[in-house]
Amino acid sequence: MQTEKEQSILSIRDLSVWYGDNQILKSLSFEVQQGQVTALIGPTNCGKSALVRCLNRLNDFTPDFRFTGEILFKGSDMYAEKTDTAAIRKQIGMVFRKPRPFQCSIYENVAYGARISGISQSSQLDDIVQKNLQKTCLWDEVESILDETPEQLSTGQQQLLCIARALAVEPDILILDEPCGELDPIETVKIETLVRDLTKDYTLIFATNKRRQAARISDAAGFLYCGELIEFGMTERIFTNPQDTKTEQYVTGKLG
Amino acid sequence: MTRPKLRKKIILLSITVIIEIVALIFFWNALKKTDVTNGQASPALGTSGGLPNLLGDLNLILPISFLVILLGIACAFYVEEWLSATNWVRRFIESQVAFLTGIPSLLYGLLAVAVFFGYAGVFKATLQNAEGSALAGTPFQRNTALFYTETLIFILTVMPVAIKTTQTALRSVETPIRESAYALGATQWQVLTKQVVPRAFPRMLAGGCRAMARAFAAAALLVGIYAWSHTMELRGFPDRFMLFLGGALLLSNASSFLTEIYVPASTQHN
């Protein structure tokens, strides 16, 4: 138990979230372990996105957002006063459901994170771009069109580009908010393979409403339903021996 | 895909601009034939030609409008990016902008003439020649007085439109784009300068043009009304009338063109 605590990179304690008068999340607590894929499963509108957006303080831009509870990142309170939110977001990257590449060249898309961190040497940028595009298995496809805009890429390629863009900032944690929501099955397989590869270097949080996908790729899983964390544990146990009846109904397809 | 479309738009714009210029020249000639300018103008006033008048007007208008529009854009940035929707300063500014943009611009022109020129006594100062008058060397020489008047009127006429259009331009940048940049650890300033402004820029420019067109249209109307009722004291008409009318037309044209250039990313993907 002690070793498990030491590996914990992100602890969510008693987190409740409101948008205006709507309570979106009700008193969640769980730990994200370093080097694992933590899946958050649950039907649409169960609060997955609201939860992951709390984890890198993107909710700060949502009007009427308020919360109670604590989120500890590497032991320190993420929402403490005087926290450098930009620095937090550099360490906790995020990829969204719909790929949104910037309207500049593919190269500049990946180099964006490095540029805002102050790297401007072209040789260094070249390395960063190549390394991250190779990591996402996109290098061979786009090597010849680096100076063109990402509009011509397929949705799946655009999503991979967005992942490369997020990885180029060198985050500790990468949040993927339904990254396959807009993709076809072949592209989905690519992303899933990539996610498994990335666990060597990163901690991943994977929000999805596809229960089978979570079962395939995650180490730990949490089941969210109507803003409540019904159950959290190792993926194998959640899917084979769920403690809660709702979880059982969900993983067997009777609910949601 | 986008380039041929853009070229087509530029060609279309050029055609409309050429048609406008030709129409304006015909109109100008027609006006000249009625002899409005040369009617009974006194020799002292009639000596100045059309071109110096026009250049003088532009010399006065362009710096002021530049400053006022810049101020409006800065104000819109502050309101839109730094103040929350419930902030009372923002609500105050937005309500005032809505109120001021709702008033026809001609009324501001009349206000300028009535209050700033008439009531405030600026009008007298402008009528007097600098040399030999009691006001010589004081700030109330012709151009200075005009400068203040025009700045105040521009703040009322041009700035609300500039604020409104800039706000719309900033809102037109999709939230996901901002969020993606924020999620990469960009600061608010970096998101603004590298993502939002480049995308919103054509629309901001269009807004500036629209704001200016409003002022020009009001000026053209005023000059026209004034000229037709006081032909005797006329200088530089219809040159000025044509300048303002032409300016208003061209600016509104440029505004719609610039709005057309920008195609949101979402429609490009689909």
Side-chain angles (χ1 to χ4, degrees):
Chain A
M1 195 61 198
Q2 190 57 40
T3 49
E4 208 176 57
K5 272 249 161 104
E6 274 168 14
Q7 285 175 347
S8 161
I9 188 165
L10 203 62
S11 342
I12 291 90
R13 291 183 188 164
D14 204 17
L15 179 76
S16 299
V17 169
W18 289 264
Y19 287 163
D21 293 332
N22 282 350
Q23 188 169 10
I24 308 293
L25 297 174
K26 293 163 193 163
S27 190
L28 313 186
S29 300
F30 63 94
E31 308 268 326
V32 176
Q33 309 296 333
Q34 185 143 20
Q36 286 191 350
V37 181
T38 304
L40 296 167
I41 52 173
T44 316
N45 271 341
C46 66
K48 299 188 297 284
S49 289
L51 173 57
V52 292
R53 286 166 63 91
C54 282
L55 302 183
N56 67 349
R57 294 200 59 166
L58 261 191
N59 267 338
D60 291 13
F61 305 108
T62 314
D64 301 334
F65 162 73
R66 64 198 168 86
F67 77 104
T68 58
E70 252 188 336
I71 301 176
L72 302 181
F73 174 56
K74 291 181 176 171
S76 56
D77 187 1
M78 194 193 279
Y79 280 86
E81 272 181 54
K82 291 181 186 168
T83 308
D84 182 358
T85 44
I88 289 277
R89 292 194 199 106
K90 268 179 194 152
Q91 293 173 68
I92 307 178
M94 185 154 176
V95 174
F96 300 87
R97 175 189 168 97
K98 192 166 183 173
R100 284 282 185 181
F102 300 138
Q103 275 176 329
C104 47
S105 67
I106 294 172
Y107 180 95
E108 284 302 324
N109 260 288
V110 184
Y112 185 85
R115 276 198 201 277
I116 59 174
S117 311
I119 299 172
S120 54
Q121 270 189 336
S122 59
S123 59
Q124 248 176 314
L125 286 176
D126 289 347
D127 283 349
I128 290 171
V129 170
Q130 183 171 359
K131 194 178 81 186
N132 288 294
L133 284 174
Q134 278 168 347
K135 257 186 210 167
T136 51
C137 316
L138 204 59
W139 177 250
D140 297 333
E141 295 163 47
V142 300
E143 192 184 352
S144 56
I145 51 166
L146 280 178
D147 290 329
E148 289 170 39
T149 55
E151 281 162 35
Q152 53 183 304
L153 300 179
S154 72
T155 321
Q157 285 173 320
Q158 285 186 8
Q159 190 63 288
L160 287 171
L161 179 67
C162 288
I163 295 176
R165 184 176 72 183
L167 292 179
V169 191
E170 311 221 325
D172 296 324
I173 303 179
L174 184 65
I175 300 170
L176 300 138
D177 186 7
E178 291 193 42
C180 311
E182 306 254 325
L183 308 188
D184 66 38
I186 296 164
E187 292 169 334
T188 305
V189 170
K190 266 191 193 171
I191 300 262
E192 284 177 14
T193 326
L194 175 66
V195 165
R196 284 313 317 175
D197 289 345
L198 288 178
T199 46
K200 286 175 217 142
D201 303 315
Y202 304 94
T203 305
L204 286 106
I205 299 173
F206 196 100
T208 178
N209 56 8
K210 297 174 187 159
R211 59 211 98 185
R212 291 286 141 225
Q213 189 175 41
R216 282 194 295 272
I217 62 171
S218 65
D219 302 302
F223 171 54
L224 274 150
Y225 189 72
C226 295
E228 283 173 71
L229 186 64
I230 306 290
E231 201 168 346
F232 188 87
M234 301 313 285
T235 305
E236 214 184 311
R237 189 186 61 70
I238 291 273
F239 279 90
T240 53
N241 184 22
Q243 308 290 306
D244 194 281
T245 45
K246 269 189 192 143
T247 319
E248 191 189 347
Q249 284 173 341
Y250 183 74
V251 298
T252 51
K254 286 173 192 153
L255 182 77
Chain B
M1 278 300 281
T2 49
R3 271 174 202 157
K5 265 189 200 165
L6 197 64
R7 206 176 295 145
K8 214 189 238 172
K9 277 180 191 166
I10 289 170
I11 291 168
L12 271 175
L13 179 80
S14 327
I15 291 171
T16 47
V17 166
I18 289 167
I19 291 173
E20 267 171 26
I21 289 172
V22 170
L24 281 174
I25 289 170
F26 272 105
F27 190 35
W28 197 334
N29 279 338
L31 277 176
K32 284 270 187 190
K33 271 174 202 157
T34 59
D35 249 13
V36 205
T37 32
N38 304 326
Q40 297 178 20
S42 76
L45 290 171
T47 43
S48 63
L51 192 64
N53 269 336
L54 293 191
L55 290 180
D57 284 347
L58 284 180
N59 192 23
L60 206 58
I61 290 168
L62 292 181
I64 298 173
S65 54
F66 183 71
L67 281 176
V68 169
I69 289 177
L70 219 58
L71 198 63
I73 288 176
C75 179
F77 264 91
Y78 178 65
V79 165
E80 188 64 30
E81 302 289 331
W82 274 277
L83 297 181
S84 72
T86 49
N87 187 295
W88 69 269
V89 176
R90 177 171 174 164
R91 272 157 64 187
F92 176 75
I93 291 178
E94 282 182 348
S95 64
Q96 290 308 303
V97 163
F99 168 64
L100 289 172
T101 47
I103 297 174
S105 53
L106 179 62
L107 292 185
Y108 290 116
L110 292 174
L111 181 76
V113 173
V115 177
F116 295 113
F117 269 74
Y119 182 71
V122 184
F123 194 42
K124 283 177 201 156
T126 58
L127 282 180
Q128 277 165 341
N129 280 330
E131 65 246 51
S133 87
L135 288 161
T138 66
F140 277 115
Q141 284 178 7
R142 185 175 187 271
N143 276 341
T144 325
L146 273 178
F147 184 85
Y148 289 129
T149 312
E150 204 177 324
T151 311
L152 287 168
I153 287 302
F154 266 44
I155 285 175
L156 284 176
T157 324
V158 175
M159 211 166 89
V161 183
I163 293 176
K164 182 105 188 156
T165 46
T166 310
Q167 264 191 307
T168 323
L170 290 176
R171 275 180 208 160
S172 73
V173 180
E174 306 93 326
T175 323
I177 288 291
R178 291 165 186 259
E179 283 184 346
S180 322
Y182 278 125
L184 293 173
T187 58
Q188 188 175 17
W189 183 247
Q190 285 165 333
V191 172
L192 269 185
T193 51
K194 293 196 174 154
Q195 295 300 327
V196 177
V197 173
R199 276 158 183 267
F201 191 70
R203 286 198 172 189
M204 277 159 60
L205 215 57
C209 286
R210 224 183 91 194
M212 281 304 299
R214 186 170 143 90
F216 270 62
L221 274 171
L222 274 180
V223 172
I225 293 167
Y226 182 78
W228 267 301
S229 55
H230 299 85
T231 343
M232 323 249 286
E233 294 169 19
L234 195 71
R235 281 196 305 181
F237 180 83
D239 307 73
R240 278 197 178 142
F241 180 64
M242 297 314 289
L243 170 79
F244 290 126
L245 189 67
L249 276 175
L250 287 180
L251 283 167
S252 54
N253 210 323
S255 163
S256 51
F257 171 67
L258 284 165
T259 322
E260 283 294 305
I261 286 183
Y262 179 82
V263 185
S266 54
T267 54
Q268 272 176 11
H269 288 308
N270 298 333

